[in-house]
Amino acid sequence: MNEELDSQLSAMFDDELPQGECELLARRLSRDAALQARWGRYAAIGAVVRGDVRVGSSVAYKVHAVIAAESAPAAQRPVAFAGSGGRTASLWLRGVAGAALAASVAAVSILWLQGGLPGGAGVLVARAPVPAAAAPETRASYVVPRAVESRMTVPATELANYVVAHSEFSTPVSRRNLLSALMASEPAAVGAPEQSLGSVDDPNPHADDAR
Amino acid sequence: MQMMRVSERLAWLALALAAASSALAQEPRQWLERMNQALTSRNYDGVFSHWQDGRVEMLRIIHRNQNGQVTERLASLDGSGREFIRTGTELTCYLPDKRTVLVESQPGGAGSLLASFPSFDEKSAGFYDIQEVMRTRINRRDTRVIAVTPRDEFRYGYRLWIDETTAMPLKTQLCDAHGRIIEQVVFASLTLASHIADAAFRPEVATDGFQWLRNDPTPVGAGVPNTSALWSALKLPPGFRMTVRSAQVLPGAHDPVAHLVFTDGLASVSVFVESRSAEVPRDQPALSGVASVGSASAFSTVIDGHKVTAVGEVPPATVRFIASSVKRSELPLAAGPSGH
């Protein structure tokens, strides 16, 4: 039975399962946690979820598209999924999407959240509403200067120092992301010796005067 | 008299509706405040994936706030084995792949870390659209999805999946002005605890034979001239303002660098100004270049014989704009923000 299921999952992933069987399997996939975990074991799904669809098949691409649609804010979802055209395909893909979303997490780790509240409810107390935001005084026109793709003039270790020093003045989310990125950087990107330099054109975009 | 009562009631009703509408509009911003509060004040231990430019790395973060003293450990679970450990205002970066340890100490009290966050105010709100776009569940947790969309191309936006119960962000995306995802963090596990033992913050890296680079945490004072007062930006992208002007000695350096911080209340850019080394002729043409570390952009140029480098979680054009606008004054500026 397991072999048969694996075979079906594999065929589904490779876009070789007949559509009727796809629908049945997708429905089962959306209800069966064990089956979702099995789907999650397909290595390619990790690449799909991460956005790297080069290794995936056409179904993998479709699944990725559905995941992207499910993950995106409602206003940004592809219209195709709201329409009636291609309804059969979209129905089973929706089922797969739900399962794939769960499986994508399961493939990495099981998410567990324990609601201990060391700070007490006070942490979540909403602050008093503030007046509605005023429109900015000047945002009618701006020109973004063209980036110059030359190499950095500072040694990479120095750049790492700058990023660390800068992170102290970022929001909590940005700080975590900056340090994570620094940690994940290739040694060549952070630790390379001083690079050759390029020239720069004169940037003089329109902007506000400094305050 | 009866008419007065009716009109009064209508007025009260209108007032109540306006208040409710205003409260509704403010709620997404309150979620951002709650999230920042949760990230800094709670104790948590989580594993997350960091995606950027096609690369995925798994990391673990352990964060503790004990009576206002922040201790945090960020460790790579993949190849490099790097670890960053923060204790109060000291951040130690263990880089085993480079056999180096960087120690960055910020002068100031234990509370200065939390006090250095950008402040999102009414002016800031004018440069972003902040909306709750949907409610959804991430692995059986109810979340609010808050979209922070920039109104121009000088800053990035965010999509944040904020847990309704704890206000912790379970998933975050950094997006450009067109909504394209630049960076994504997704928690695979997250545990909130009332207490985390000190042992959790000890590094696993053996540092025998490592090179230690440590900065001098002594505040720039009587013995060292504070050159930061000589520098400012003549022009800034819309919404940005200077919030910090300080001088500090970076790890491995001898001389202090001027450190200016500009923010729009959400995004921030640091500008570092330092003297060029003696070997570099002062009349050598200014050379410039861009670089990036994750979603952070950096731009370096030479102005008036000094190396000026801007770094921030903003598009490359923004750091280039700001760095190129920095100018030196003849006399130290008397007024202006001061850092710690």
Side-chain angles (χ1 to χ4, degrees):
Chain A
M1 182 62 183
N2 285 347
E3 284 180 10
E4 184 184 335
L5 271 173
D6 277 335
S7 173
Q8 281 186 308
L9 282 172
S10 176
M12 187 178 182
F13 193 83
D14 292 333
D15 208 7
E16 291 171 0
L17 196 65
Q19 185 161 318
E21 290 184 48
C22 268
E23 289 180 36
L24 287 173
L25 189 56
R27 284 200 196 101
R28 183 169 174 182
L29 199 52
S30 66
R31 294 191 304 265
D32 188 336
L35 200 56
Q36 289 171 18
R38 191 167 298 166
W39 171 272
R41 280 198 291 271
Y42 282 86
I45 194 68
V48 173
V49 172
R50 289 193 298 269
D52 182 359
V53 295
R54 286 169 295 183
V55 299
S57 65
S58 60
V59 167
Y61 185 84
K62 289 173 193 168
V63 171
H64 170 72
V66 177
I67 291 169
E70 291 285 335
S71 301
Q76 298 179 4
R77 288 184 195 176
V79 180
F81 289 102
S84 57
R87 192 174 174 201
T88 309
S90 68
L91 277 176
W92 79 257
L93 276 172
R94 281 184 191 187
V96 171
L101 277 172
S104 68
V105 180
V108 181
S109 175
I110 303 298
L111 184 136
W112 71 97
L113 289 155
Q114 298 167 6
L117 298 172
V123 175
L124 297 179
V125 168
R127 296 182 187 174
V130 290
E137 292 168 12
T138 54
R139 60 180 151 93
S141 66
Y142 58 90
V143 176
V144 179
R146 182 172 56 85
V148 179
E149 298 301 330
S150 56
R151 300 303 297 264
M152 196 63 185
T153 61
V154 292
T157 301
E158 201 172 300
L159 177 59
N161 287 339
Y162 287 155
V163 172
V164 169
H166 168 68
S167 71
E168 302 297 311
F169 298 94
S170 298
T171 61
V173 167
S174 291
R175 179 178 296 172
R176 181 198 63 200
N177 289 359
L178 284 170
L179 296 180
S180 298
L182 196 58
M183 190 166 281
S185 296
E186 292 286 0
V190 174
E194 190 154 343
Q195 304 290 333
S196 58
L197 308 169
S199 62
V200 64
D201 48 2
D202 183 31
N204 274 315
H206 306 293
D208 290 344
D209 287 335
R211 277 152 237 191
Chain B
M1 186 65 181
Q2 187 67 21
M3 287 298 290
M4 286 287 285
R5 281 182 189 154
V6 169
S7 62
E8 274 178 12
R9 282 177 189 168
L10 284 174
W12 278 110
L13 184 62
L15 199 62
L17 284 172
S21 169
S22 174
L24 204 63
Q26 294 307 314
E27 197 177 9
R29 271 179 62 181
Q30 290 175 353
W31 275 108
L32 294 185
E33 291 169 3
R34 290 173 196 164
M35 179 190 72
N36 286 340
Q37 187 79 4
L39 278 169
T40 51
S41 65
R42 288 178 173 275
N43 299 338
Y44 51 89
D45 181 349
V47 172
F48 62 92
S49 63
H50 174 265
W51 177 93
Q52 202 265 327
D53 200 21
R55 285 197 57 188
V56 180
E57 179 134 346
M58 297 301 293
L59 299 111
R60 181 182 181 187
I61 187 167
I62 308 172
H63 180 99
R64 181 180 72 184
N65 187 330
Q66 199 168 50
N67 303 319
Q69 177 83 0
V70 173
T71 314
E72 186 175 275
R73 178 169 166 234
L74 185 65
S76 169
L77 302 181
D78 295 332
S80 73
R82 295 177 181 176
E83 291 192 36
F84 293 172
I85 297 177
R86 178 191 305 284
T87 306
T89 55
E90 184 173 278
L91 180 66
T92 307
C93 308
Y94 297 88
L95 309 172
D97 50 319
K98 300 180 70 179
R99 299 183 64 75
T100 301
V101 180
L102 298 174
V103 184
E104 166 96 17
S105 292
Q106 290 282 344
S112 62
L113 176 69
L114 303 182
S116 59
F117 290 148
S119 173
F120 196 89
D121 56 18
E122 291 309 306
K123 272 191 174 176
S124 314
F127 294 94
Y128 296 91
D129 283 322
I130 304 178
Q131 293 183 335
E132 180 182 324
V133 290
M134 67 172 169
R135 297 183 185 189
T136 187
R137 285 168 74 79
I138 291 188
N139 216 346
R140 292 174 287 174
R141 301 289 301 187
D142 291 323
T143 62
R144 306 282 185 113
V145 183
I146 307 295
V148 181
T149 309
R151 289 180 173 162
D152 63 28
E153 298 192 13
F154 282 108
R155 53 212 108 221
Y156 290 140
Y158 289 89
R159 276 201 289 272
L160 306 152
W161 282 252
I162 302 174
D163 182 59
E164 286 192 1
T165 306
T166 64
M168 289 290 290
L170 303 184
K171 176 177 173 180
T172 61
Q173 291 176 340
L174 183 74
C175 310
D176 66 14
H178 305 292
R180 288 187 292 256
I181 300 168
I182 299 167
E183 184 177 47
Q184 176 170 284
V185 163
V186 183
F187 271 90
S189 69
L190 183 62
T191 306
L192 302 182
S194 57
H195 177 72
I196 299 177
D198 289 344
F201 300 98
R202 292 194 192 114
E204 293 180 0
V205 179
T207 57
D208 300 340
F210 279 27
Q211 176 190 20
W212 284 73
L213 299 175
R214 187 184 293 272
N215 73 333
D216 179 4
T218 307
V220 175
V224 186
N226 184 351
T227 55
S228 68
L230 296 169
W231 296 90
S232 60
L234 294 181
K235 285 184 176 181
L236 289 171
F240 280 85
R241 55 195 180 273
M242 187 193 290
T243 53
V244 172
R245 176 187 278 139
S246 70
Q248 64 186 107
V249 181
L250 295 174
H254 299 292
D255 300 320
V257 298
H259 185 180
L260 315 176
V261 179
F262 303 91
T263 182
D264 67 356
L266 189 61
S268 57
V269 174
S270 285
V271 174
F272 301 92
V273 184
E274 58 186 309
S275 300
R276 296 180 89 186
S277 63
E279 305 87 64
V280 181
R282 285 182 67 85
D283 57 352
Q284 181 173 312
L287 299 168
S288 305
V290 294
S292 62
V293 176
S295 59
S297 304
F299 180 84
S300 186
T301 187
V302 176
I303 296 174
D304 198 14
H306 288 71
K307 184 162 66 181
V308 176
T309 306
V311 178
E313 62 278 18
V314 291
T318 308
V319 286
R320 183 168 178 262
F321 183 113
I322 293 177
S324 302
S325 300
V326 167
K327 297 291 179 235
R328 188 184 189 199
S329 309
E330 287 305 316
L331 294 172
L333 302 174
S338 60
H340 51 235

